Amino acid sequence: MKRAGSARPGVDIWCVETGYFRTLREAEMRVRRIAGEVNTERWCKLYSFVVEEKPLGCMIGKGDYLTVRRYLKDGSLWQVSKVSCIRRHDDQGEDLGNIGFYGRDLNSIPIKEGNIVEIAGERFVELGIVWQMPPTKERMKVIWKRYRKTFGKIPRVHPDDTDDSYSIVYYDMDKDGEIGYSHYHPAVVDVMPPSLPVPKKFAQQLRKCLKTLQKEAEEYARNWEKEQQKKGYIK
């Protein structure tokens, strides 16, 4: 608050370490080993692990990956995304891996609408509340059909890793106590269960912001429909 003039509820990550392994099995063995060693120490607390699969022998964007997996602090697997975000390698416009997103099976996701969650960043973990779930497989079939109709059998523009995400509401508070709120779309693998008890006042404020945004969205939809009717686009 003192440094930036406003603050969001969350926790800082003080240290980030990186390892390189030849196989997923080797990486997961190290994850389990670190979880077993560090969680017995009182002076050090883990937050989570991220395992990104990257291709060897070519140049790609710094943050790009073929697949990404998030593990909880005990080493157990939390979520996986098998949607590649590599759109260029070796300065060529060629894809590595499948960069199409085809929807989620929501039964496999333990988080639901209205849940208080943490959004894991590299240095800051922010508190939020789930507004909308990731698109289902049924929903994405309709969207892919529309894209193919517009852009061809193999659409140039299509749903990708950015669509494998939640809609999350967050808020901040300035030094005068004024609340600002909005929403954004973090990746499924970055949305986590709370790692600490959530103060009641934070949870209440998040639910209040969610209700306000839901009402605003409903009002916007009604006004948009009226405008379309006036223009004769819909009856």
Side-chain angles (χ1 to χ4, degrees), residues 137-164:
K137 293 180 179 179
E138 291 73 19
R139 172 64 177 156
M140 291 310 299
K141 284 179 182 178
V142 175
I143 293 174
W144 271 96
K145 184 177 180 180
R146 186 168 70 239
Y147 273 92
R148 289 190 176 108
K149 184 177 179 181
T150 305
F151 297 106
K153 188 174 182 180
I154 304 177
R156 171 178 51 83
V157 180
H158 55 264
D160 56 22
D161 63 291
T162 60
D163 295 283
D164 188 16

Side-chain angles (χ1 to χ4, degrees), residues 12-109:
D12 286 322
I13 300 295
W14 291 106
C15 177
V16 179
E17 291 188 354
T18 302
Y20 298 89
F21 304 90
R22 291 169 295 182
T23 66
L24 174 62
R25 182 174 180 274
E26 288 180 3
E28 289 186 323
M29 287 176 63
R30 182 58 66 91
V31 164
R32 289 192 292 270
R33 174 181 162 188
I34 295 171
E37 291 175 349
V38 178
N39 283 328
T40 60
E41 300 288 345
R42 293 184 178 181
W43 59 271
C44 182
K45 292 185 178 181
L46 290 169
Y47 183 72
S48 70
F49 301 88
V50 178
V51 174
E52 295 178 345
E53 179 188 7
K54 296 176 183 284
L56 293 173
C58 64
M59 300 293 292
I60 61 173
K62 182 180 178 183
D64 289 351
Y65 50 76
L66 291 166
T67 63
V68 59
R69 291 166 167 80
R70 172 81 64 172
Y71 301 77
L72 299 176
K73 61 184 178 181
D74 64 1
S76 61
L77 181 64
W78 173 244
Q79 286 294 332
V80 180
S81 175
K82 296 183 179 180
V83 186
S84 171
C85 64
I86 301 175
R87 293 164 181 79
R88 296 182 66 86
H89 66 92
D90 288 335
D91 204 30
Q92 301 295 317
E94 301 174 10
D95 303 328
L96 282 178
N98 188 349
I99 63 170
F101 174 61
Y102 300 95
R104 284 268 179 180
D105 177 6
L106 299 190
N107 291 325
S108 68
I109 298 179

